[in-house]
Structures are given as C-alpha cells and as structure tokens.
C-alpha cells in the first residue's frame, strides 16, 4: 500500500493536490514511469477523476491518460483485457521502452489505429480492470472510485445516448465477478466517492469514501455535480 497523508479523512473534501503530491514523491516502479491506476464500476467517475488528477499533477504533456475502454474487445471484452494492457503497454515501459496500443473501434467492432505511450514521468490508466493484482508491483497509487448503482446507470444512459442500456446488466455481472476475484477495492490505496453529497469543488477537490460504504455499486439515489465516465 502507498503511504498517504494521515490528514486524508473520508466524507470531507481534500485538494487533489494532496494526491498529486503522493504521486510526485513516489519512486517510479514501472521502469522510470510513475503508474497510477483508477478502477471501479462503470460510470462511477473514473475518467473524470483521471483527467483532473492529470491536471493536478501539472506534468502535461509528461503525463498520459490511457482509457481501458480503448482496449476492451466490445461489451464482452473485460476478460482478457489485462493481457493486452500488459503486453502492449506495461511490459515495454517496465523494460525502459515506449509502449504502444491499438484502439478498439466499438462502432466497427474491430481494432483501429495504434497509439504511442511514451516514457513520461507518469501514466494514469483508468477503467475497469486497470488495477488487477499483477499491477501491485508497478503502481505507485491504486484508486477505487464508486457511486450508487442507480446514478451510475443514469450516467451511462446519458453518456451513450441509451446505447449502454441493453448491455448494462451483462457488464455489471462481469464487473461483479471480476472485482470479487481481484479484490480491487480492498487492495486500493485510496477509495474515492464518485457521487459525494457534501459541497466540494469537483475540479480541484476529492471526497473519500467512508468505512460504511459498500464497494462495487452502492445502492441509493444521490445526485452529484460530478460528471462521470
């Protein structure tokens, strides 16, 4: 587990700069790259947090955000996605070489163009499956983001113009099995509330989950100013 400032308490806002400081201070474990993994169920707020953390790190363009959505082979693509991430990106970076991955085109149902992953100061990988067990030796920070199930579904339908709806239950079951096997939330260094009900600045602050929260899709109907993916 990564050592985090003792002042980080659940249920209250904290500057994202605190989290950025942890990443800055960490010794790189993936070759010369500081790897941050942001995992959690669909539409909990992972993509939003990744982009805001990248800005807080103030390393752009030396920090890159890689989306697991670009590696899944469609709606049934969660199993096996780790092998592509490891082969295309993590293994080369670990060996001191740039990584390279091929984006999956969801509309065409096939892989499309290649994207380079340079040897930057930091790499943020966000998406379901980004914080699987093998990453423990490489990541300087593993983050779990969660939000109520009903709100996540609402976000997903709005984001994909209803396209996610027919696949929601199948994907949610795949997530449930995956997270239970990987114990993703239990292994995370930081548990983030993707739908906090306290006042905070979503651009510059983060709210942590408390001990009473239930990982992998909490029940409830809370609303949040945080947009999500």
């Amino acid at each position: 587990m990564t050592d985090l400032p003792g002042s980080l308490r659940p249920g209250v806002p904290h500057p994202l700069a605190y989290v950025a400081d942890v990443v800055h201070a960490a010794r790189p474990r993936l070759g010369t790259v500081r790897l941050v993994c942001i995992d959690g169920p669909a539409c909990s707020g992972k993509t939003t947090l990744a982009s805001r953390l990248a800005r807080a790190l103030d390393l752009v363009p030396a920090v890159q955000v890689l989306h697991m959505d670009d590696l899944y082979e469609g709606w049934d693509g969660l199993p096996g996605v780790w092998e592509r991430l490891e082969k295309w990106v993590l293994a080369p970076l670990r060996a001191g070489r740039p990584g390279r991955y091929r984006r999956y085109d969801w509309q065409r149902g096939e892989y499309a163009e290649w994207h380079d992953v340079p040897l930057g100061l930091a790499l943020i990988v966000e998406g379901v499956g980004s914080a699987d067990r093998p990453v423990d030796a490489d990541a300087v920070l593993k983050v779990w983001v969660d939000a109520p199930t009903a709100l996540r579904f609402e976000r997903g339908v709005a984001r994909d113009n209803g396209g996610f709806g027919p696949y929601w239950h199948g994907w949610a079951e795949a997530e449930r099995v995956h997270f239970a096997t990987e114990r993703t939330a239990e292994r995370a260094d930081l548990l983030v509330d993707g739908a906090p009900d306290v006042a905070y600045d979503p651009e510059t602050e983060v709210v942590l989950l408390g001990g009473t929260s239930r990982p992998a899709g909490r029940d409830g109907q809370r609303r949040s100013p945080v947009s999500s993916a």
Side-chain angles (χ1 to χ4, degrees):
M1 300 285 285
T2 296
D3 291 332
L4 295 166
S7 59
L8 292 180
R9 296 182 291 114
V12 296
H14 296 287
L16 266 174
Y18 285 6
V19 182
D21 286 345
V22 171
V23 178
H24 274 294
R27 176 180 59 83
R29 297 178 182 175
L30 185 67
T32 60
V33 178
R34 293 167 178 82
L35 174 65
V36 176
C37 299
I38 302 179
D39 212 324
C43 303
S44 57
K46 301 181 296 299
T47 303
T48 300
L49 178 61
S51 63
R52 290 170 180 167
L53 178 57
R55 289 197 296 271
L57 284 168
D58 196 25
L59 293 173
V60 179
V63 60
Q64 180 170 346
V65 177
L66 189 158
H67 307 287
M68 295 293 284
D69 280 356
D70 288 340
L71 301 183
Y72 306 130
E73 289 185 337
W75 294 108
D76 298 321
L78 181 54
V81 71
W82 175 264
E83 286 75 9
R84 287 186 289 281
L85 177 64
E86 167 66 19
K87 178 180 178 180
W88 287 348
V89 179
L90 302 186
L93 295 179
R94 194 181 298 118
R97 304 189 308 271
R100 196 166 182 248
Y101 69 91
R102 197 174 184 188
R103 181 186 65 84
Y104 186 80
D105 188 318
W106 289 67
Q107 299 298 321
R108 294 166 54 191
E110 61 185 27
Y111 282 101
E113 75 283 352
W114 287 89
H115 291 261
D116 294 329
V117 182
L119 290 166
L121 296 177
L123 171 65
I124 300 175
V125 182
E126 69 83 19
V128 180
S130 64
D132 284 5
R133 291 175 187 269
V135 85
D136 286 353
D138 295 322
V140 300
L141 186 67
K142 301 187 297 293
V143 182
W144 171 268
V145 186
D146 206 352
T149 302
L151 177 56
R152 293 191 296 105
F153 177 76
E154 180 181 300
R155 288 171 171 176
V157 171
R159 181 190 66 185
D160 297 337
N161 295 318
F164 194 3
Y167 304 97
W168 174 264
H169 294 294
W171 183 263
E173 177 61 16
E175 285 183 341
R176 185 191 66 78
V177 173
H178 181 85
F179 291 143
T181 300
E182 298 294 329
R183 297 176 58 197
T184 313
E186 298 173 52
R187 293 173 29 256
D189 302 301
L190 202 64
L191 306 178
V192 171
D193 194 335
D197 53 8
V198 297
Y200 80 115
D201 182 352
E203 292 294 331
T204 62
E205 294 180 318
V206 64
V207 178
L208 306 188
L209 287 167
T212 58
S213 299
R214 290 175 292 175
R218 296 165 293 148
D219 295 331
Q221 302 289 336
R222 289 186 296 152
R223 293 296 182 266
S224 168
V226 179
S227 60
S228 173

